[in-house]
Amino acid sequence: MDFEYRYTAEQQAFRQEVRSWLDDNIPTGVRWPNDAKNMPHETWQWVKTFREQLGAKGWLHATYPKEYGGGGLSAEHDVVIQEELEKQDIPIDGLKFHDNQNDLPALMVWGTDEQKENFLVSRLRGEKIAWQLFTEPGAGSDLASLKTRAVKDGDDWVITGEKVFVGGDSGYADPDTKTPDELQMGYLFCLAITDPNAPRHRNMGYFYIPGETPGITAQTLDLLVGHGKRQIYLDNVRVSSDNVIGGETQGWQVTQTTLEIEHGGGGGATQRERTLSKVINHLRENEGVHDDHLKQILMDAYIDTEQVRLFGMRNYWMYDTKQEMTYHGSQFALLRKESALRVADAIREVCNLSSLLDFRDGKVAIEGEMELHQRETLAAAHPGGTIEVQKVIVARRLGVSRTKERAAPTPATMVASSDA
Ligand SMILES: Cc1cc2nc3c(=O)[nH]c(=O)nc-3n(C[C@H](O)[C@H](O)[C@H](O)COP(=O)(O)OP(=O)(O)OC[C@H]3O[C@@H](n4cnc5c(N)ncnc54)[C@H](O)[C@@H]3O)c2cc1C
């Protein structure tokens, strides 16, 4: 069966426009290393500028409304942009450059016009970044147990607490950039208890903290996936009550919109598995695979990744056509995380010990991508809800758990309900 989308003539003309703009604006010699923590400082600097250029054209967040700094374009146009970036070997995730974007849908749904103006526009234009301050040493999967406290003082809130695993997506980090500079590039969106006497889930606020606010310190965490994550300490950090999204005890509800997207509710249109394709090409171009059993393993792994891609496309389509989702986001996240682990197993079985050589080894193939993939797939089982948590959510939404729940509102369903 052929599931591929057929583009219209207008969309193909747009593709030409994107392609020639990218050709003109991506300098020759810009190379994206497998492990972004090995990226040269000049490349990071270029990424920052390039991201702003894309943002100014409305191509960084193509489907967001123009009035907020997006492109006002269709999902198909967005896919074209992402495909063309992929062809240039510039991963769209990498362009986020530390920017955790899980808050953007929550701002659209819950933010006032003034908050959208203050916090959304600069993000969609690629001028600022944000970090997600949810997880704490004692609150990960059970996020509602968090302890960070916000105390009202006049018109302000004063926040004190400790957050872990904080930073942009995928652990990307500029090794030469000092943490305070990064913080000054944007905001921290942070959950904190505002009313310790209120019931669980009705006791916290969702705050935007400007990165340069006094009282914030950061410490780099040395993780399996590199150095992109931080431990953040908040010591009497003062923010205006204008920076609370939703009501001051409505933070849990706002967070559900963020988690809905983080758990896969927005889908993904161009999520081809990069490592497996590189491994297959490498094997084809070199010694090949002569054992039928190993060929079968590779074929199964390829089919596995294609299935995940199609589930991502399904969610992307459902989101774009404003259909109500239930288990779909977490089903996609679960399949994606489990499939990644299976693919890592398959690569290890086919390529054996060479899959464990890192980029510094003289005999390494495809610049150490296989070894990095082994580590990243393990770590990727955790962020945005672990494998077990995705199963719990699917069960609740299918109605086969003691607790039943519905999907949180997203910009897609919010528009759908007001249209109705
Ligand atoms: C690479 C990476 C990036 C991250 N980025 C961010 C970030 O930017 N911002 C942020 O706030 N957080 C971030 N996180 C944190 C992430 O959200 C948490 O790691 C995740 O929620 C799990 O929490 P935990 O690590 O405390 O594990 P725990 O919640 O302690 O879980 C430990 C184990 O117990 C299992 N478990 C827990 N509860 C249940 C249950 N009810 N049923 C069955 N099994 C259960 C889990 O599946 C897991 O295997 C990141 C994590 C990683 C690894």
Side-chain angles (χ1 to χ4, degrees), residues 100 132-136 139-142 164-167 225 229 379 382-389 392:
N100 181 307
Q132 177 171 319
L133 268 64
F134 285 2
T135 310
E136 297 185 3
S141 302
D142 184 14
V164 276
F165 294 122
V166 175
V225 278
K229 294 286 156 187
H382 281 264
T386 65
I387 285 178
E388 290 74 22
V389 164
V392 169

